[in-house]
Amino acid sequence: MNEPEFFNEEHGAGPALGGFEQDGAAEPAGGWCWLSGDPWSYGNWKPGEPNNGRAREGTEDRLMVYSGIPRTPAATWNDINSADRDNLMTAYVVERDH
């Protein structure tokens, strides 16, 4: 996941992480959780995120890795609108049990 090809050329949007903000949660930082149901005990938001910033439709309620720099890997996170997700995502991080 730490390779440039996983981050887009426009602004460094990276893989989706499987986190989302629950409906009705306090914006922009309330109610985040993992799709797996595991407790939300770690965060690595890019400074200024989550900000519900560029939501064109509704709120930014999904989680992605984001650098803000074209084709540049990072471990920091950004909130994104679910409608934008399909246009910006280049990869997904998948968890599996052994």
Side-chain angles (χ1 to χ4, degrees), residues 35-96:
L35 291 171
S36 66
D38 290 336
W40 187 270
S41 59
Y42 172 80
N44 195 29
W45 295 106
K46 187 173 186 323
E49 301 293 344
N51 64 1
N52 212 30
R54 293 177 31 153
R56 294 181 191 102
E57 299 176 27
T59 61
E60 291 185 335
D61 56 3
R62 299 295 188 264
L63 180 65
M64 68 184 293
V65 180
Y66 179 79
S67 70
I69 304 168
R71 284 280 197 221
T72 302
T76 50
W77 301 351
N78 178 38
D79 55 332
I80 187 172
N81 181 276
S82 59
D84 289 338
R85 176 188 57 206
D86 297 333
N87 299 324
L88 296 175
M89 290 294 131
T90 57
Y92 298 85
V93 175
V94 178
E95 175 184 9
R96 71 177 197 159

